[in-house]
Amino acid sequence: MDLSEVVQFILILFPVFFFSLLLIPNIIIFLLDLDRARFNIRTEREVLISIVGSGRTTRSIDLVLDLQFRELAIAEPSYDDHDLAVALQLKLDEGAGTESDGDSQENSNADRTLVSGPAKDKPAAPPANCTCLRCTDEIARQKSFKAPCNHDFCFDCLADFFEATIDDEALYPPRCCGQEIPFESVQGLLNDRLQIRYREKKMEYDTEPNNRTYCHNTTCGSFIYADLIEDEAGLCLDCGRTTCTMCKRATHYGDCPSDEGTQRLLELAENRGWQRCYNAKCHRVVELSSGCNHITCVCGAQFCYICGSRWRTCTCPQYTHPSVAGDVRGQPAAVHRFYRPT
């Protein structure tokens, strides 16, 4: 073998040896990423070919690369099997951990149940909106009123509801599903004028019909409140006139003819010879069983038992009683006159 053949042989072996050294990191890389290993091999082939530039050397490099690719093809299934085994192991470990956590959580819940009893469901939060029962509009809950029967009303319909009650006593008190809506629970939701009108009407409706007094003035007819009635005469705040609470007509002086009970009492008192106090704020009926004719009433008024006049304003005898035929002191008998205001 001459020198030229030796040099040529060395030139052929040198790239192969050099390329083999480069394959060592590729073997490590392919275990991590096969696609990356193939890419690196192809890149190194191009570099070697550009360096050597010989067709024969190129064929040798192609032969080595072909062998390397075959090794990669053989190793690839093993690599896939390895990945599958690792994935299965991870799933098994994860399943075991989840089961362990589940058992721990179940045991913890069981212990908590033994200590605090069965868990109670939390009440669901109320919806932000609701539907008005009257107008069926959807409204915000903070702009609605919930009746005792749990029906919702918007503020406008609630005001209309109370307006209708003022105009129609048959609707009083305001009710929904047969349950009364207390005025105290809604008065802050009504305007001032409606509140005043409803309070006035409430005092009227709360008074028994037989005990109500309305102004006798046909152009007025307003309800007269109890605190404006004195001595059976009620004062109307709207027109200023007074009305008799007994006969419901204009106020008159004296006993009301429509007061049947009073009329029967006065008739009995006159037949029995009793007398009546002249004081307009009293008018009590008294009976004298013995003594003088000077009567002092419990109201403080002093009057004559014979005629009912104020004491010392009449000529009736002081000691004469109509039940006695004559005065024991020689005074003539007096005629009894029952007092009736005129």
Side-chain angles (χ1 to χ4, degrees):
M1 179 180 296
D2 55 6
L3 181 60
S4 61
E5 291 178 349
V6 173
V7 173
Q8 187 177 4
F9 181 77
I10 293 173
L11 292 175
I12 293 174
L13 292 180
F14 176 77
V16 175
F17 176 76
F18 180 76
F19 186 75
S20 299
L21 293 177
L22 295 177
L23 289 178
I24 295 175
N26 289 330
I27 294 174
I28 298 174
I29 293 174
F30 102 90
L31 294 175
L32 302 176
D33 191 344
L34 293 177
D35 293 335
R36 183 179 176 186
R38 292 190 183 95
F39 175 79
N40 289 341
I41 292 173
R42 292 190 182 95
T43 302
E44 291 166 359
R45 175 181 178 276
E46 297 296 333
V47 173
L48 290 174
I49 291 174
S50 63
I51 294 174
V52 177
S54 171
R56 187 175 179 181
T57 304
T58 302
R59 286 192 298 272
S60 299
I61 293 174
D62 288 338
L63 178 61
V64 174
L65 290 175
D66 184 67
L67 293 175
Q68 183 63 39
F69 279 125
R70 289 182 182 181
E71 291 177 0
L72 291 175
I74 295 172
E76 186 172 0
S78 300
Y79 176 78
D80 294 338
D81 293 341
H82 174 73
D83 286 346
L84 179 61
V86 171
L88 290 175
Q89 185 62 40
L90 290 175
K91 288 186 177 180
L92 290 175
D93 294 341
E94 182 180 357
T98 303
E99 183 177 358
S100 176
D101 294 341
D103 294 341
S104 300
Q105 183 67 25
E106 183 177 357
N107 294 334
S108 176
N109 292 337
D111 295 340
R112 190 180 298 109
T113 302
L114 292 176
V115 173
S116 60
K120 297 181 179 179
D121 296 336
K122 294 182 178 179
N129 296 334
C130 59
T131 302
C132 176
L133 178 66
R134 187 171 181 268
C135 65
T136 68
D137 288 345
E138 186 174 353
I139 52 177
R141 183 161 297 280
Q142 62 269 22
K143 295 184 179 180
S144 67
F145 170 77
K146 184 175 288 295
C149 60
N150 289 328
H151 281 141
D152 297 303
F153 292 89
C154 66
F155 293 163
D156 291 339
C157 290
L158 185 66
D160 293 341
F161 200 0
F162 276 78
E163 284 279 4
T165 303
I166 293 175
D167 298 333
D168 188 356
E169 186 177 359
L171 301 177
Y172 179 84
R175 293 179 294 268
C176 183
C177 298
Q179 300 184 40
E180 180 180 352
I181 301 177
F183 176 67
E184 294 75 13
S185 63
V186 302
Q187 59 181 350
L189 307 177
L190 307 177
N191 59 63
D192 295 341
R193 181 176 177 274
L194 181 56
Q195 291 185 45
I196 294 174
R197 292 180 59 228
Y198 183 81
R199 287 194 184 97
E200 293 175 349
K201 213 63 176 178
K202 185 176 186 299
M203 287 189 287
E204 176 183 348
Y205 290 159
D206 288 343
T207 304
E208 291 293 333
N210 294 335
N211 296 330
R212 297 177 189 174
T213 300
Y214 295 92
C215 181
H216 71 279
N217 184 5
T218 56
T219 61
C220 180
S222 299
F223 175 74
I224 299 177
Y225 304 104
D227 55 352
L228 298 176
I229 298 175
E230 184 178 2
D231 296 333
E232 300 178 352
L235 174 63
C236 177
L237 292 178
D238 292 337
C239 67
R241 300 187 182 184
T242 56
T243 302
C244 175
T245 60
M246 301 303 299
C247 63
K248 312 302 180 185
R249 292 190 288 268
T251 302
H252 48 78
Y253 187 76
D255 301 320
C256 180
S258 299
D259 189 354
E260 297 180 358
T262 300
Q263 294 301 323
R264 287 196 297 267
L265 174 61
L266 296 179
E267 183 179 355
L268 176 63
E270 188 172 7
N271 294 334
R272 295 288 183 90
W274 301 341
Q275 193 53 267
R276 190 181 189 189
C277 178
Y278 68 88
N279 185 1
K281 295 184 178 181
C282 180
H283 287 328
R284 284 182 173 86
V285 175
V286 297
E287 178 185 10
L288 177 63
S289 58
S290 62
C292 68
N293 295 324
H294 180 199
I295 304 298
T296 301
C297 183
V298 294
C299 69
Q302 300 180 40
F303 57 90
C304 174
Y305 189 79
I306 300 297
C307 64
S309 302
R310 189 186 300 268
W311 183 244
R312 296 191 183 280
T313 61
C314 64
T315 59
C316 298
Q318 182 176 359
Y319 295 100
T320 300
H321 191 273
S323 61
V324 181
D327 185 10
V328 294
R329 298 182 181 181
Q331 297 181 2
V335 179
H336 180 267
R337 296 189 305 273
F338 186 74
Y339 174 80
R340 289 182 179 273
T342 57

